[in-house]
Amino acid sequence: MRSEESNGAATGTPEGIEQIDRQVIQLFALVGDGIAGATHALLAGDREAARGLVARDEEVDALYRQIERLVQDELASTAVGSGRLRYLIALLGVLPELERSGDLAEHVARRAVRGIAVEMSARARGLIERMGEVACTMWRMTAESSTTSTSAVVVSRLMPAGAAGRVASRRARRARSDRGRGGGPREA
């Protein structure tokens, strides 16, 4: 059985799964970068970056729908083995949550566009920063555990450098700044 609906990928083939894997990796990277970028834009008051992240949500939504169609095509194939079946069903469970996290990044970016960072207390800023770190870590770990073994290597290389890296470097700069002023570590 062959389906040409979703980018011409043949269903029930290793190529179909590989195409899904590539797109899932891309979606994880977009969402992880979106969360980190939105958190940074909000805390730094970077309205221009926030506008770009809001616009990018459409790309996340479109990719989500495309992956969902590919997974459904694979599931409809008579050639899907039990291992692939479990993987595809797991993806159908993870994909909506990933898309919702992309929406969360968009909502945070929309707040950044309004420039509310100057109104936030230090405690609120710390909590937002920590939530961004947790979300990035959560999606990186999910990406590593939910993709095939080949894809997990690519995901682990994409996510830390992009998504979690920016948040971690900002936290390190803040810690150095606090030490320079004689302050200890901040409470989150």
Side-chain angles (χ1 to χ4, degrees), residues 119-159:
E119 300 170 17
M120 291 189 297
S121 68
R123 178 156 172 73
R125 294 173 65 81
L127 289 171
I128 289 170
E129 183 174 10
R130 181 67 185 132
M131 287 189 312
E133 291 169 351
V134 168
C136 288
T137 299
M138 176 191 72
W139 282 120
R140 187 189 75 247
M141 291 172 66
T142 303
E144 290 170 353
S145 66
S146 69
T147 58
T148 61
S149 59
T150 304
S151 300
V153 173
V154 177
V155 168
S156 67
R157 289 183 182 151
L158 283 175
M159 295 296 286

Side-chain angles (χ1 to χ4, degrees), residues 38-121:
T39 302
H40 171 75
L42 179 64
L43 295 174
D46 188 343
R47 293 179 180 189
E48 195 59 37
R51 285 184 192 94
L53 289 162
V54 168
R56 198 166 85 179
D57 184 61
E58 291 178 21
E59 183 181 351
V60 170
D61 292 343
L63 186 56
Y64 161 73
R65 287 189 300 273
Q66 184 176 16
I67 295 168
E68 189 174 52
R69 278 191 305 274
L70 286 170
V71 169
Q72 289 170 354
D73 287 351
E74 283 294 320
L75 287 171
S77 170
T78 58
V80 176
S82 64
R84 283 186 181 166
L85 183 62
R86 282 191 298 276
Y87 171 65
L88 293 170
I89 290 171
L91 275 179
L92 286 177
V94 169
L95 286 172
E97 299 304 323
L98 191 54
E99 193 274 335
R100 285 184 194 109
S101 287
D103 289 343
L104 172 63
E106 177 203 13
H107 294 296
V108 171
R110 284 187 187 279
R111 297 329 176 264
V113 168
R114 293 194 329 223
I116 66 168
V118 295
E119 300 170 17
M120 291 189 297
S121 68

